[in-house]
């Protein structure tokens, strides 16, 4: 059996209230690694271990990229060959059982290295949150993801299914705290000619950019500015586009 892992990064959401964790704990053939970035909530470590899963404390909010890298290091310690696949999740994604059925079909088909589910959010009129289009510095939603060329495909972390062997000589950019961690990964993998496919299954995502509390929104925007500048720093065109977006 091909090993399947799931990495769930939790930020201040009790596991009993996390739709992501509740869906994953029902999948007995998937080892879930909970990376605890929480600062205000104490997660139930015993529950994770009782479910046969793995709990990793990040000792505070260390950011998304560091949590992913910690989980990948753990997987590599357990399986140095890096056989199988890993899925990525936030703590607030609704995951239907049909998603896991699709994942197993894609693994069995084995015709790509990265699989992107369809991800919808609070504003469907703008198109899917993921997959999206990425041409040069331009990243934008699309209403017709299946019409995108493979070299144009990009997508967010939630529900992304990745062949573990891609991480033999790659780790996430830890200078990115939260935003564009996923786009930076896809950009890097496209340069390595990794094969990318879309899964015909839909996830519902609660996107944190829709923050209504003014103080939280300002903190969130501060993180976004730092991350997007890091993502686009490699070219003059990127820096100009970054200034436009900000």
């Amino acid at each position: 059996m091909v090993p399947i892992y799931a990495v769930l990064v939790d930020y201040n959401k009790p596991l009993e209230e996390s739709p992501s964790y509740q869906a994953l704990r029902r999948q007995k053939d998937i080892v879930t690694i909970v990376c605890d970035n929480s600062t205000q909530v104490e997660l139930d470590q015993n529950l994770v271990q009782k479910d046969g899963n793995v709990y990793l404390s990040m000792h505070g909010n260390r950011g998304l990229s560091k949590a992913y890298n910690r989980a990948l290091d753990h997987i590599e310690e357990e399986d140095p060959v890096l056989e199988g696949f890993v899925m990525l999740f936030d703590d607030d994604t609704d995951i239907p059982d049909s998603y896991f059925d699709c994942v197993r079909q894609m693994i069995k088909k084995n015709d790509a290295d990265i699989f992107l589910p369809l991800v919808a959010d609070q504003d469907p009129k703008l198109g899917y949150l993921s997959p999206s289009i990425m041409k040069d510095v331009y990243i934008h939603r699309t209403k017709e993801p299946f019409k995108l060329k493979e070299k144009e495909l990009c997508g967010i972390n939630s529900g992304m299914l990745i062949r573990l062997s891609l991480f033999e000589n790659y780790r996430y950019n830890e200078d990115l705290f939260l935003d564009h961690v996923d786009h930076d990964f896809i950009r890097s993998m496209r340069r390595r000619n990794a094969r990318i496919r879309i899964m015909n299954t839909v996830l519902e995502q609660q996107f944190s950019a829709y923050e209504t509390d003014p103080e939280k929104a300002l903190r969130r925007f501060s993180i976004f500015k730092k991350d997007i500048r890091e993502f686009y720093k490699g070219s003059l065109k990127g820096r100009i586009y970054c200034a436009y977006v900000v």
Side-chain angles (χ1 to χ4, degrees):
M1 182 180 294
V2 176
I4 308 175
Y5 299 88
V7 176
L8 188 154
V9 180
D10 190 290
Y11 178 66
N12 293 333
K13 184 178 286 292
L15 295 174
E16 296 81 359
E17 300 175 13
S18 168
S20 308
Y21 187 75
Q22 294 306 313
L24 285 164
R25 72 187 302 203
R26 296 193 295 268
Q27 309 301 316
K28 301 304 181 183
D29 60 330
I30 297 173
V31 176
T32 297
I33 301 171
V34 176
C35 292
D36 185 3
N37 261 346
S38 298
T39 57
Q40 300 173 5
V41 172
E42 184 175 348
L43 298 190
D44 190 345
Q45 181 176 350
N46 292 330
L47 172 65
V48 177
Q49 295 172 340
K50 183 180 178 181
D51 289 336
N53 294 318
V54 178
Y55 171 88
L56 298 176
S57 174
M58 297 302 297
H59 305 288
N61 186 7
R62 306 303 180 192
L64 199 59
S65 55
K66 288 185 179 181
Y68 285 160
N69 286 343
R70 174 81 187 281
L72 290 168
D73 289 344
H74 173 83
I75 293 172
E76 190 166 24
E77 288 171 5
E78 297 295 316
D79 179 14
V81 179
L82 288 175
E83 180 185 6
F85 289 81
V86 62
M87 299 172 288
L88 306 177
F89 290 103
D90 300 321
D91 55 29
D92 57 358
T93 304
D94 293 319
I95 315 171
D97 290 340
S98 58
Y99 165 84
F100 296 106
D101 294 337
C102 187
V103 162
R104 295 181 182 98
Q105 291 171 11
M106 295 300 99
I107 290 175
K108 186 175 182 180
K109 194 173 181 180
N110 196 29
D111 67 345
D113 304 301
I114 301 169
F115 299 90
L116 303 172
L118 302 169
V119 183
D121 69 353
Q122 300 99 307
D123 204 343
K125 296 187 297 297
L126 296 177
Y128 288 102
L129 182 59
S130 181
S132 54
I133 183 171
M134 180 166 62
K135 287 185 177 181
D136 196 9
V137 300
Y138 177 79
I139 301 174
H140 202 274
R141 294 186 185 222
T142 178
K143 295 182 179 180
E144 298 179 307
F146 286 102
K147 292 187 177 181
L148 295 179
K149 298 176 183 178
E150 184 175 354
K151 64 181 180 180
E152 299 173 340
L153 278 174
C154 195
I156 67 170
N157 291 311
S158 294
M160 190 185 296
L161 175 68
I162 308 166
R163 188 183 301 276
L164 275 170
S165 60
L166 293 182
F167 296 107
E168 287 179 356
N169 55 0
Y170 179 88
R171 286 296 186 270
Y172 288 92
N173 178 4
E174 294 187 356
D175 289 329
L176 293 168
F177 187 83
L178 178 61
D179 293 292
H180 286 67
V181 172
D182 35 25
H183 298 326
D184 185 65
F185 168 73
I186 293 289
R187 184 172 63 181
S188 298
M189 291 301 119
R190 278 174 28 175
R191 289 169 178 165
R192 299 183 182 196
N193 298 315
R195 299 167 297 167
I196 306 173
R197 299 286 185 273
I198 300 176
M199 294 190 286
N200 193 13
T201 185
V202 181
L203 301 179
E204 297 289 336
Q205 177 74 17
Q206 299 299 316
F207 192 37
S208 62
Y210 293 92
E211 179 58 69
T212 56
D213 181 281
E215 290 187 9
K216 290 182 180 179
L218 283 172
R219 289 197 297 270
R220 182 70 183 83
F221 184 55
S222 177
I223 293 171
F224 173 78
K225 286 193 296 182
K226 181 179 181 297
D227 283 345
I228 195 172
R229 286 167 179 158
E230 169 66 24
F231 179 75
Y232 281 117
K233 71 179 184 180
S235 70
L236 177 60
K237 184 189 292 186
R239 293 192 295 274
I240 293 172
Y241 184 72
C242 173
Y244 165 74
V245 171
V246 171

